[in-house]
Amino acid sequence: QGPGTYTFTASMKRGKQLRWVAHVTDDKNYAQFELDGEYYYRILVTNGKSKELVKKKHGVAMQPVGATLQVTLSPAGIVQRIQASGAWTVLDSWMGTALDEGRFGFMIRGRDEVNLSGFSFVGSE
């Protein structure tokens, strides 16, 4: 889609890490985000090589791994929010130009299975 806000609830039916991607220009260049039972990760993949940029505890109880997330892509950068106790909390704010370019999606590896619900997209001008 492109710039705008993606909101969704996702949980792992099989697997331990929920993964989504943005700024996907091709299969070797993208930003990857991961959430497991304890940590949130931001990983930049450039020419097929990955570099972990952020690893931090998210502090949200998840059993199984699942959350309601809001990802906003804009010309200023990418802001990730997670819903906890009925309120939105900023999980990560990554400012940089052109991060809104490319595609958004989910990364499902191997035998992982993801339950996805309440998906919405509101585009920005």
Side-chain angles (χ1 to χ4, degrees):
Q1 292 282 44
T5 299
Y6 299 82
T7 304
F8 55 92
T9 298
S11 63
M12 297 304 297
K13 185 173 179 183
R14 174 185 281 163
K16 297 189 184 320
Q17 287 184 310
L18 179 61
R19 295 178 183 94
W20 61 100
V21 293
H23 189 49
V24 179
T25 55
D26 59 42
D27 63 352
K28 293 184 184 273
N29 296 282
Y30 52 90
Q32 178 177 317
F33 309 95
E34 297 181 3
L35 200 62
D36 63 22
E38 194 172 356
Y39 291 96
Y40 163 82
Y41 306 84
R42 180 196 329 146
I43 299 158
L44 183 61
V45 179
T46 307
N47 296 324
K49 295 185 189 315
S50 61
K51 180 179 181 184
E52 186 176 276
L53 302 178
V54 172
K55 177 183 178 182
K56 70 178 193 178
K57 291 191 177 204
H58 53 68
V60 177
M62 289 191 245
Q63 213 49 346
V65 173
T68 298
L69 298 158
Q70 195 174 67
V71 181
T72 301
L73 307 177
S74 75
I78 301 173
V79 177
Q80 316 264 351
R81 292 177 183 85
I82 190 166
Q83 198 169 57
S85 303
W88 290 107
T89 302
V90 173
L91 191 56
D92 186 30
S93 184
W94 185 18
M95 298 297 101
T97 58
L99 289 173
D100 62 324
E101 295 175 2
R103 296 181 314 275
F104 173 87
F106 295 91
M107 181 175 282
I108 302 170
R109 293 189 174 155
R111 296 172 45 97
D112 285 1
E113 293 181 33
V114 178
N115 290 323
L116 185 64
S117 64
F119 185 90
S120 70
F121 172 74
V122 177
S124 61
E125 297 295 318

